[in-house]
Structures are given as C-alpha cells and as structure tokens.
Amino acid sequence: MATRIGIITAGGDSPGLNAAIRGVGKAALARGMEVIGFRDGFRGLAEDSRLRLDRRALAGILTTGGTVLGTGRDKPHRMEIDGHLRDMCGVIARNCKRNKLDALVCIGGGGTNKNALRLIEQGLNVITLPKTIDNDIALTEATIGFDTALGIATEAIDRLHSTAHSHHRIIIAEVMGHRAGWLALGAGIAGGADVILLPEIPYDVKQVAAAIRRRKSHGSNFSIVAVAEGAVSKVDATEFESAARHKANAKTQLERQRAKTQLTALAARHSGNTLRLSKQLEELTRLEARVTILGYLQRGGTPSAADRLLATRLGTMCVELINDKVFGVMVAARGDSAKPVPIAEVAGRLKLVPPNHPWIESARRVGTSLGD
Ligand code: F6P
C-alpha cells in the first residue's frame, strides 16, 4: 500500500506556507505516496476535516500567500469544542489511524512544535517544518516567512523616511516578532532606522530621546524608530522579571495567582507601549511623533524568492526523511542544506537575538541607537 502523509499548517500564517505544502506534496506524489491535507491546523485533525492534495490541488500555489489548508492556534490538549475545553490528543491519534496515515507533517512555529510533541506521545509519526515571520525557532538557521516579512517591514521603513523627513517628525514603526527582535532588527538595519528597540535589549526612553536630539543637533530634525512589538523599557523589564520570579517561587496557590494577575496586568499595559513611547518622545524631544503599526501586513501576500526556495528545500527534504522513516524531528535549515533535529529539543525553546549578535554590532557601528 502507498505511504500516506497527512499535512497541516498551524499557528499564525506566514508567506511561503503554500510553497511548503507544494514542496511536500509534489515530492511525495513523485515517490508514489498519497497526501491528505487537514483544514485549520490541529482542529482539522480533531474534526477529521480533510482535503485531498493531488496534482490539481497543488498546482499554482507556489507563489500565493496564506495557506490553502487554513490555519489556527488551537492546541490539541486544550481545544474548545462546543464551548468546553477538551483534550483532543486521543481523538486526533484515532483519526490519524483511521485515515491510515504513516506520517503527519506539521508546518508551524514554537507552539506547533510543542503540540507536535504531544502527538508524538500518542504514538504518531510526526515531522515538523519551521515557519514563522518571527524567526524565533531554536536550532534552525531560517524559518519560512521571515525573509518576506523582513522585505515588507524594510519597504515600510523606507517609505516612512520621506514623510518623517518632510514633516520633521519622529516616526515610530512597530514591527511584529512576538518576544523576539529579529524582524525589527533586520528591517531597522536594512531600512536605516535611527533607533531600533528590541525585546532582548530593554531600553531607556531618555537614551532614545538623547539619540534623537543628537541627530537634531547635527541638522537631522527627523528620526525613524523601529520598535519590536515585544520591546520593553528597563523599568517595565524589571517589573516583568520580578512578577515572573514571584510566580516561579510562589509557595502557595494564592501567591501564584497574585503573580499571574500581576503578569496579566503588565501584559495588558504593554499592549499600548508604542503609543506611550511616542508621547514620551514628544515630551522629551519637542518634536512631533507619529506611530505606524505594521501589523498583519507583514504576514500577507506573495512570498519572496528566498522563502519559496527555503520552503521547497525543507518540504522536499521532509519527504526524503519520511521515506527513510525518520520521525519525531523538525527539518531545520543549515546553510544550503537541511538537517533533522529532535522536536523534543526544539519545543519550548525560543531563539532570541543574542545581545552580541553581529547584526547588533553592525547597527551600533553605523551609529544606530539601541536605546540602552
Ligand atoms: O508569530 C507570528 C505573529 O505574527 C507574531 O509576530 C505576533 O505576535 C503574533 O503572530 C500575532 O498573533 P495572532 O495572529 O494570533 O494575532
């Protein structure tokens, strides 16, 4: 009987997902395997919502954004079904067996790897592909979607220059990235931002204002600030750390609950961080400031050539691994090649920007302020 592969895309969408589906699908069909897609991430596996991925379904999707399978942030062990949270891991395992799947390919980010591990514990042959615009997955040099998002954010910063310059304003561009600063750092450097603020390097708003005033004193009375959505001030970072410590060291249920409530309150306050930063900079520099939140534009549209190439490389390598019966691994990008790494070593680990990363050093060398 032909080998049967199930495939899902899970977590936030990112450009290049369809190229990855096509890479897996075409390579599998070429080997005489069958491919079944499941809709909307882990939910499609739980609800057995299928889509046959034959030649016709895979045609013409290399260049398209989004995912033809749909995606979602459902977790197999805590899925909302009819208004109740249910553990669907067993149901998913049964559905995979009923569909006679020899392997399940999960294309996703950090959350997907954690969820994949839960399905491995159910005895499924899982293999993952790394995708996220955040570039924050451990043990892979690249993730599908990052290059396209980097291009979009860079172009946005390019365009903000002329308007900032014309109005003599500070323009703050908020860049996605969750708790990692790769996207803001890369786009900030490539787009020539004057200040780049990252989650990994808590900033001092007075230092940011000083950098902008320095530019003004040299005749440049406008500035571009690229701020990662997860960037925090030094003051807020201390509060977050203290609440996290309290939660980790809590001796009673009450202490733990208090720390969790404090963390939730801090996170809620942080959601308005970029707007607050804009007000603070106006007060400290006496320049007008405006905010542009790039948001979901960074995830949409046509994938770049580099993302199509990466998705095709990793997707086709995934089928080679399935053919060799190598399971429980993520297909990681290593230079021009790909390497299987245990999902158990990836799940729960974030790849953050090291403070001495060469990109940071380059940014500092061209005079960019990191706000520290
Ligand atoms: O992980 C990709 C990402 O776009 C992050 O940069 C961002 O923090 C998050 O997803 C947004 O999530 P959602 O799609 O659930 O709003």
Side-chain angles (χ1 to χ4, degrees), residues 222-245:
F222 74 97
S223 282
I224 301 286
V225 180
V227 57
E229 62 179 346
V232 281
S233 67
K234 289 190 178 181
V235 177
D236 286 354
T238 313
E239 284 191 48
F240 268 114
E241 274 160 27
S242 138
R245 224 182 7 257

Side-chain angles (χ1 to χ4, degrees), residues 162-175:
S162 58
T163 172
H165 175 261
S166 305
H167 279 273
H168 319 303
R169 281 174 173 161
I170 301 167
I171 295 204
I172 304 172
E174 186 189 282
V175 181

Side-chain angles (χ1 to χ4, degrees), residues 208-232:
V208 178
I212 292 171
R213 278 198 306 264
R214 254 192 320 275
R215 278 177 51 77
K216 200 172 161 191
S217 70
H218 293 140
S220 301
N221 54 1
F222 74 97
S223 282
I224 301 286
V225 180
V227 57
E229 62 179 346
V232 281

Side-chain angles (χ1 to χ4, degrees), residues 5 25 31 33-34 51-52 85 121 125 134 139 147 151 178 191 206 223 241 249 297 309 356 365:
I5 301 180
R31 278 201 172 271
M33 300 176 180
E34 289 174 15
L51 182 73
R52 200 180 168 81
L85 280 183
E121 283 159 13
N125 293 330
D134 303 340
L139 303 185
D147 183 75
H178 196 213
K206 293 206 179 92
S223 282
E241 274 160 27
N249 300 335
L297 283 174
L309 190 55
N356 58 351
R365 282 188 203 119

